Amino acid sequence: MNSPALPFPPPGSKTELEEGGVFTPRFDGDGLIGCIALDAHDGAVLMFAHMNAEALRLTLETGVAHYWSRSRQSLWRKGDTSGQVQRVVEIRTDCDQDVLLMTVVPGGDGGACHTGRRSCFYRKLVAEGGNVRLVNDGG
Amino acid sequence: MNSPALPFPPPGSKTELEEGGVFTPRFDGDGLIGCIALDAHDGAVLMFAHMNAEALRLTLETGVAHYWSRSRQSLWRKGDTSGQVQRVVEIRTDCDQDVLLMTVVPGGDGGACHTGRRSCFYRKLVAEGGNVRLVNDGG
């Protein structure tokens, strides 16, 4: 891909956001946009993370997922330390262009979660007597 | 389900968040947590929206998805006007408990997007000469 211009074009009207053919991502007050990552092999939801404009530009330019770490306050090329580099197959956006849905081929061991699980969503909620427990079933 | 106590227990240590058996959702500075909704029929990503503690409690209590509308600043029982009521099959959370992944059976016409599409993610990004276009392929 050629390098997308930065900054991205500003969001237009509701109709332009929903029906337009121009990508005008709506970053939040911290300059971030959420991104859902799916495994290209089976469509499983692997993780959810944030991108700033630079991470999104680098993702589009290189075809490899870059994120913004809110805890470390730094740009983050997924897989640099874990080997779990994510090759981007497709990126979609939603009706009001404030979330991304990205399909990736994960490298390394094929996982995405820093805890060692394949997916970050390895626990389900179970309501029990007014409390909610988490049960780890691997995802 | 019995009614979960409000407020939810406060988040603990990193280890408790990641490996603990207690659900301690991490709401953001606006008191919201993001929620990815999947269609139980085929696992397709239908939408992404936010919940506040009350919407989450009502979702757990009633088994029907409730969200917080940031644009309207109000609690929102999905489907009240559209008929697209979402019956909750399962809710998961991620490693640091700041996102939810919910599997739902959508009612009404089976869709989720207010634009009339089944999924909010009906457009994909296509890079073209340094610009990024959106192509509507239905999702």
Side-chain angles (χ1 to χ4, degrees), chain A residues 1-5 8 14 16-24 36 38 43 45 48 56 60 70 90-101 113-115 117 120-125 127-139, chain B residues 1-5 8 14 16-24 36 38 43 45 48 56 60 70 90-101 113-115 117 120-125 127-139:
Chain A
M1 286 183 176
N2 292 312
S3 204
F8 293 94
K14 181 175 159 70
E16 286 167 333
L17 276 172
E18 293 178 357
E19 304 299 334
V22 183
F23 179 51
T24 57
I36 306 160
L38 305 181
V45 179
F48 179 87
L56 178 53
L60 287 164
R70 294 183 301 173
E90 184 185 79
I91 307 179
R92 312 183 74 83
T93 193
D94 72 338
C95 42
D96 59 356
Q97 301 196 37
D98 66 353
V99 186
L100 303 173
L101 177 63
C113 185
H114 76 285
T115 67
R117 281 90 171 187
C120 295
F121 296 93
Y122 50 87
R123 291 171 298 184
K124 64 178 177 187
L125 278 60
E128 193 181 63
N131 292 310
V132 183
R133 287 189 308 121
L134 293 177
V135 173
N136 186 339
D137 63 357
Chain B
M1 285 182 176
N2 292 312
S3 205
F8 292 95
K14 181 174 159 68
E16 286 168 333
L17 277 172
E18 293 177 358
E19 305 298 335
V22 182
F23 179 50
T24 57
I36 306 161
L38 306 181
V45 180
F48 179 89
L56 178 52
L60 288 163
R70 294 183 301 174
E90 183 186 80
I91 307 178
R92 312 182 74 83
T93 192
D94 72 338
C95 42
D96 58 357
Q97 302 195 38
D98 66 353
V99 186
L100 303 174
L101 177 63
C113 185
H114 75 285
T115 67
R117 283 89 171 186
C120 295
F121 296 93
Y122 49 87
R123 292 172 297 184
K124 64 179 177 187
L125 278 60
E128 192 180 65
N131 292 310
V132 183
R133 286 190 307 119
L134 292 178
V135 173
N136 186 341
D137 64 357

Side-chain angles (χ1 to χ4, degrees), chain B residues 37-127:
Chain B
L38 306 181
D39 191 323
H41 296 110
D42 59 1
V45 180
L46 293 176
M47 58 181 282
F48 179 89
H50 293 84
M51 294 181 178
N52 63 0
E54 177 66 5
L56 178 52
R57 188 188 68 80
L58 285 168
T59 300
L60 288 163
E61 182 180 326
T62 65
V64 170
H66 291 66
Y67 298 99
W68 176 259
S69 167
R70 294 183 301 174
S71 56
R72 294 190 300 272
Q73 289 285 300
S74 64
L75 193 71
W76 161 47
R77 182 179 178 273
K78 173 77 178 168
D80 267 349
T81 54
S82 66
Q84 296 169 336
V85 172
Q86 297 180 336
R87 185 165 59 78
V88 177
V89 175
E90 183 186 80
I91 307 178
R92 312 182 74 83
T93 192
D94 72 338
C95 42
D96 58 357
Q97 302 195 38
D98 66 353
V99 186
L100 303 174
L101 177 63
M102 191 164 68
T103 304
V104 303
V105 176
D109 64 3
C113 185
H114 75 285
T115 67
R117 283 89 171 186
R118 175 188 174 210
S119 164
C120 295
F121 296 93
Y122 49 87
R123 292 172 297 184
K124 64 179 177 187
L125 278 60
V126 177

Side-chain angles (χ1 to χ4, degrees), chain A residues 18-42:
Chain A
E18 293 178 357
E19 304 299 334
V22 183
F23 179 51
T24 57
R26 288 176 59 220
F27 298 97
D28 67 15
D30 295 322
L32 303 178
I33 189 168
C35 180
I36 306 160
L38 305 181
D39 191 323
H41 296 110
D42 59 2

